[in-house]
Amino acid sequence: QVQLTESGGGLVQAGGPLRLTCAVSGSHVTTMTMAWFRQGPGKEREFVASVTYGTPTAYYADSVKGRFTTPRDSAKNVVYLQMNGLFPNDTAVYYCAANPGGILGQNMGLESMYRYWGQGTQVTVSG
């Protein structure tokens, strides 16, 4: 049974950094495509970032490119979402998602591609 557990959410001032962690149990991050999605107040859930299994390649939504990164620590079996330069409209519940094996790059942003989901962690950016 694969479980994903997010942590690290909280309240941060605009312009500040925050790092989220997705801890994986029941499988290993190097065998799964890992992703982050978010859902802001009154909005649909949207893709944020992903990292492929094996030799990692990262993909990012245009809205976070240059500000967010998603490094993977295979020894700790976690994936991070390092968020810098946060804006108030980054306020959302952030979800970790995973799928065994690969996902085509063009499909990275589709929720239906991911089998496993975490419970989410709230990030609030104050202006």
Side-chain angles (χ1 to χ4, degrees):
Q1 180 79 1
V2 175
Q3 289 191 317
L4 309 178
T5 305
E6 303 99 333
S7 61
L11 176 64
V12 62
Q13 288 192 336
L18 196 65
R19 187 177 79 168
L20 306 182
T21 301
C22 176
V24 178
S25 61
S27 187
H28 200 271
V29 292
T30 56
T31 66
M32 298 194 292
T33 298
M34 304 295 300
W36 293 92
F37 288 76
R38 67 184 180 185
Q39 187 167 20
K43 298 180 182 178
E44 303 264 323
R45 191 154 60 180
E46 64 177 0
F47 171 78
V48 176
S50 64
V51 56
T52 60
Y53 79 105
T55 302
T57 300
Y59 295 79
Y60 298 98
D62 288 343
S63 58
V64 306
K65 273 180 188 174
R67 299 189 297 127
F68 292 10
T69 60
T70 184
R72 190 180 73 188
D73 188 329
S74 57
K76 295 182 178 179
N77 206 22
V78 301
V79 172
Y80 301 107
L81 184 67
Q82 178 65 49
M83 304 184 290
N84 298 319
L86 283 161
F87 299 125
N89 63 7
D90 291 315
T91 294
V93 177
Y94 283 72
Y95 297 90
C96 180
N99 191 69
I103 298 175
L104 291 175
Q106 64 202 52
N107 294 331
M108 283 288 180
L110 299 179
E111 292 184 43
S112 59
M113 293 289 107
Y114 298 91
R115 185 181 300 180
Y116 304 109
W117 290 81
Q119 81 288 351
T121 186
Q122 175 71 46
V123 173
T124 302
V125 184
S126 64

